[in-house]
């Protein structure tokens, strides 16, 4: 562990929290500005790419920057990523066309791909295991606060200033965090000869970009899963990623050290993280659809229903960080998975007339589970390895989280769309009704555009489809519990990886 003085650690932590806030709020503040951006720049068909471009480049670059931080240090990667994010933010605010905005969002994502994993790595470097739990709780609180105030802040900027401000208001935070890390973070590094894994980085970048692109756009009207383009994309990505694994098993300094997966806690957390991340995106994406399309609520009520999840997440992360040292990985994960199961089963049994207070309780319990388990995964990635591969380990955890959410969105979307189509076809009173009418059901004034008497029918169809999804999510929560039962029943400790020195 680093010997940085305590007072300097406080300044470094402030820089980390500011950079975390900068990156976290960017994922929530943009949503309310969507209609204003479309009104200003046009191209409604490209709207989803404002989010997809950011997530895609962040996901692909995260493991690369994680390995670079192991080879050349955390500080240069953090500073580079922060500057790239800052430049991308300024360019987004100055965008004059939708194409420009999408390109500049991709630049933002590259910066986030460097900043987010390295902040977790720095925490692992300068704090011991007992302290990491508390610090992870603080970082989780920043994510929770961002998820609560981001949509409100975005709405305020759009209503009273301009949508351009949602991209530039965080510039002062970025500049201050850059200065703090530059001024106070000192790394104790031993100079050594390094070998760059260019081949692995290229194969991973191209292969994973193709796969994530396919998951992001597949299944729509433009690109059906059975189209030659999508099949070629998926097959090509599989071939490239298989070649990547072969390269990683042979090079001296692999971008993704495959021997990380020989560490039991890391291999278990990787598998479980995919399911947990899918549950997160499933809840935050489809519970609002339930609130608006089934219960007839508005967007404000949707946000209110998800707010307890953020509060529960914060509480769960703080408790988990302290419990892991005393109870170990397995018991901490099992407690968190019990909360996930309770929340998921509760939502699986809800119906149109379920009391709102009960829904709020279920999302709060869900949040407790997410806080417990996500914090545990992060601490495992920091604490199960030594300095020389900690960057790659924490980056792997961050990448898996994004990958799980991307897969979750694609799979859950297919499930819900198939359920809607099946129920429309089986409903004798639904001639002339299509799945496109669901969009009108969710629109504030769309009910007036629907055929007479079809509103309740469509609401019932959507309720049945979403209910089947929530049952699937409950099953995934149970599977998660079975997976995390394989954790070691002890706090995570550094294990040797590929001959690295056994340091923490």
């Amino acid at each position: 562990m680093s010997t940085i003085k305590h007072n300097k650690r406080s300044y470094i932590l402030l820089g980390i929290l500011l950079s975390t806030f900068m990156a976290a709020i960017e994922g929530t503040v943009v949503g309310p500005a969507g209609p204003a951006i479309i009104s200003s720049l046009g191209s409604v068909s490209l709207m989803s790419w404002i989010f997809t471009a950011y997530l895609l480049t962040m996901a692909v670059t995260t493991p690369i920057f994680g390995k670079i931080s192991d080879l050349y240090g955390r500080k240069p990667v953090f500073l580079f990523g922060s500057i790239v994010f800052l430049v991308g933010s300024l360019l987004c605010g100055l965008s004059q066309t939708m194409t420009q905005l999408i390109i500049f969002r991709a630049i933002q994502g590259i910066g986030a791909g460097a900043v987010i994993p390295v902040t977790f790595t720095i925490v692992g470097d300068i704090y011991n295991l007992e302290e990491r739990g508390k610090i992870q709780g603080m970082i989780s609180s920043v994510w929770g606060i961002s998820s609560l105030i981001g949509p409100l802040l975005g709405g305020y900027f759009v209503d009273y200033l301009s949508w351009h401000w949602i991209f530039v208001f965080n510039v002062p935070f970025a500049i201050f965090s850059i200065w703090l890390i530059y001024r106070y973070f000192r790394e104790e590094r031993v100079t050594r000869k390094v070998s760059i894994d260019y081949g692995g980085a290229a194969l991973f970048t191209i292969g994973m970009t193709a796969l994530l692109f396919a998951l992001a756009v597949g299944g729509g009207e433009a690109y059906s899963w059975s189209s030659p383009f999508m099949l070629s994309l998926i097959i090509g990505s599989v071939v490239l990623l298989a070649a990547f694994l072969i390269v990683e098993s042979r090079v001296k300094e692999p971008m993704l050290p495959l021997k990380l997966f020989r560490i039991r806690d890391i291999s278990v957390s990787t598998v479980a993280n995919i399911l947990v991340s899918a549950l997160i995106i499933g809840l935050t994406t489809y519970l609002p659809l339930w609130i608006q399309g089934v219960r007839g609520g508005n967007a404000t009520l949707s946000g209110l229903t998800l707010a307890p999840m953020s509060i529960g997440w914060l509480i769960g992360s703080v408790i988990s960080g302290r419990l892991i040292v005393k109870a170990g990985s397995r018991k901490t994960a099992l407690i968190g998975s019990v909360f996930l199961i309770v929340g998921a089963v509760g939502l699986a049994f809800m119906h149109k007339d379920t009391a709102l207070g009960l829904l709020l309780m279920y999302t709060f319990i869900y949040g407790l589970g997410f806080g417990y388990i996500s914090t545990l995964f992060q601490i495992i990635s920091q604490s199960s390895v030594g300095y020389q591969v900690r960057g790659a380990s924490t980056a792997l955890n961050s990448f898996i989280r994004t990958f799980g959410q991307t897969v979750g969105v694609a799979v859950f979307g297919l499930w819900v769309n198939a359920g809607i189509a099946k129920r429309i076809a089986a409903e004798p009173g639904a001639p002339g009704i299509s799945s496109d009418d669901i969009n009108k059901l969710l629109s504030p004034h769309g009910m007036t555009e629907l055929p007479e008497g079809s509103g309740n029918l469509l609401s019932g169809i959507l309720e049945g489809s979403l209910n089947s999804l929530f049952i699937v999510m409950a099953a995934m929560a149970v599977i998660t519990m079975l997976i995390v039962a394989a954790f070691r029943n002890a706090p995570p400790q550094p294990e040797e990886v590929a001959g690295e020195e056994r340091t923490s």
Side-chain angles (χ1 to χ4, degrees):
M1 189 187 71
S2 174
T3 57
I4 295 174
K5 293 181 179 180
H6 188 273
N7 62 332
K8 289 188 176 182
R9 289 201 308 177
S10 299
Y11 292 121
I12 295 169
L13 178 59
L14 178 59
I16 288 173
L17 294 177
L18 285 173
S19 64
T20 300
F21 175 78
M22 172 187 73
I25 202 167
E26 199 61 42
T28 59
V29 75
V30 178
I37 292 174
I38 294 173
S39 176
S40 174
L41 303 181
S43 302
V44 63
S45 61
L46 297 176
M47 180 63 197
S48 63
W49 277 98
I50 296 176
F51 305 94
T52 302
Y54 179 83
L55 293 174
L56 186 67
T57 54
M58 181 179 70
V60 170
T61 57
T62 290
I64 297 174
F65 284 121
K67 183 58 182 180
I68 292 175
S69 75
D70 285 334
L71 297 176
Y72 296 105
R74 326 301 189 202
K75 186 173 181 177
V77 173
F78 178 91
L79 296 177
F80 172 80
S82 297
I83 292 172
V84 170
F85 189 92
L86 177 61
V87 171
S89 297
L90 290 171
L91 291 174
C92 285
L94 297 173
S95 298
Q96 300 300 311
T97 68
M98 186 67 82
T99 301
Q100 288 180 359
L101 181 57
I102 291 171
I103 293 173
F104 298 150
R105 282 285 283 174
I107 294 174
Q108 261 192 322
I110 294 173
V115 171
I116 292 178
V118 172
T119 55
F120 291 119
T121 308
I122 293 174
V123 169
D125 289 343
I126 67 177
Y127 292 97
N128 60 35
L129 177 59
E130 290 74 16
E131 295 171 312
R132 287 169 194 163
K134 177 183 177 181
I135 302 303
Q136 288 301 141
M138 296 175 66
I139 293 176
S140 295
S141 70
V142 172
W143 283 94
I145 292 170
S146 299
S147 67
L148 289 174
I149 71 172
L152 299 176
L153 200 58
Y156 175 83
F157 284 138
V158 170
D159 291 339
Y160 297 101
L161 295 171
S162 165
W163 65 264
H164 297 273
W165 281 92
I166 67 174
F167 296 109
V168 298
F169 84 95
N170 57 17
V171 168
F173 299 107
I175 294 174
F176 191 34
S177 67
I178 289 172
W179 181 81
L180 287 170
I181 297 299
Y182 177 80
R183 175 69 176 80
Y184 294 104
F185 184 44
R186 297 287 184 269
E187 292 185 274
E188 300 174 359
R189 291 185 49 77
V190 177
T191 303
R192 63 189 181 99
K193 185 177 181 180
V194 298
S195 175
I196 309 298
D197 180 18
Y198 293 109
L203 289 170
F204 179 84
T205 300
I206 300 172
M208 190 56 64
T209 299
L211 179 59
L212 294 178
F213 178 84
L215 293 173
V217 305
E221 295 181 0
Y223 304 103
S224 67
W225 289 109
S226 59
S227 66
F229 174 75
M230 288 301 298
L231 291 176
S232 300
L233 203 61
I234 294 173
I235 294 173
S237 66
V238 171
V239 171
L240 288 171
L241 292 175
F244 164 74
L245 294 177
I246 295 174
V247 169
E248 296 305 277
S249 66
R250 297 178 179 179
V251 296
K252 181 180 179 181
E253 291 277 6
M255 187 194 84
L256 176 62
L258 299 182
K259 291 186 178 181
L260 281 175
F261 297 106
R262 295 182 182 178
I263 299 175
R264 180 173 168 181
D265 281 357
I266 288 182
S267 60
V268 172
S269 67
T270 298
V271 177
N273 201 1
I274 294 176
L275 294 180
V276 172
S277 299
L279 288 175
I280 293 171
I281 200 68
L283 180 66
T284 56
T285 301
Y286 291 102
L287 185 59
L289 282 184
W290 177 281
I291 296 298
Q292 296 182 58
V294 177
R295 290 182 62 96
N298 55 24
T300 301
L301 182 60
S302 297
L304 174 64
T305 308
L306 289 175
M309 183 192 74
S310 298
I311 298 171
W313 194 315
L314 169 59
I315 295 173
S317 64
V318 173
I319 298 175
S320 173
R322 297 176 178 176
L323 184 63
I324 186 175
V325 178
K326 299 178 181 179
S329 302
R330 184 189 303 164
K331 291 180 181 178
T332 304
L334 289 175
I335 293 173
S337 61
V338 167
F339 285 128
L340 286 183
I341 291 172
V342 172
V345 171
L347 292 185
F349 280 97
M350 72 176 175
H351 50 81
K352 183 177 183 179
D353 299 319
T354 298
L356 180 61
L358 203 55
L359 295 186
L360 296 177
M361 184 183 72
Y362 290 147
T363 56
F364 174 77
I365 295 173
Y366 237 137
L368 282 174
F370 290 143
Y372 259 88
I373 293 186
S374 296
T375 300
L376 172 64
F377 291 162
Q378 192 62 62
I379 293 177
I380 285 174
S381 70
Q382 295 168 334
S383 306
S384 297
V385 296
Y387 178 90
Q388 293 182 7
V389 292
R390 186 174 288 136
S393 179
T394 55
L396 172 65
N397 179 73
S398 298
F399 166 75
I400 289 297
R401 184 170 59 244
T402 303
F403 180 76
Q405 291 179 356
T406 306
V407 174
V409 165
V411 173
F412 292 162
L414 284 173
W415 183 277
V416 171
N417 291 336
I420 290 174
K422 177 181 178 181
R423 286 169 175 79
I424 289 177
E427 181 60 53
I433 292 179
S434 69
S435 57
D436 291 337
D437 291 321
I438 297 292
N439 297 329
K440 298 177 182 178
L441 181 69
L442 299 173
S443 171
H445 307 291
M447 288 290 289
T448 58
E449 303 176 16
L450 292 172
E452 184 176 356
S454 63
N456 290 333
L457 178 61
L458 283 170
S459 178
I461 290 173
L462 183 62
E463 179 179 5
S465 300
L466 292 178
N467 180 256
S468 69
L469 174 63
F470 292 143
I471 292 174
V472 170
M473 291 171 62
M476 290 172 61
V478 174
I479 295 172
T480 299
M481 185 177 193
L482 298 177
I483 293 172
V484 299
F487 276 130
R488 294 186 307 114
N489 195 28
Q493 296 178 347
E495 299 183 25
E496 295 183 16
V497 178
E500 87 165 314
E501 296 179 5
R502 191 179 177 85
T503 59
S504 60

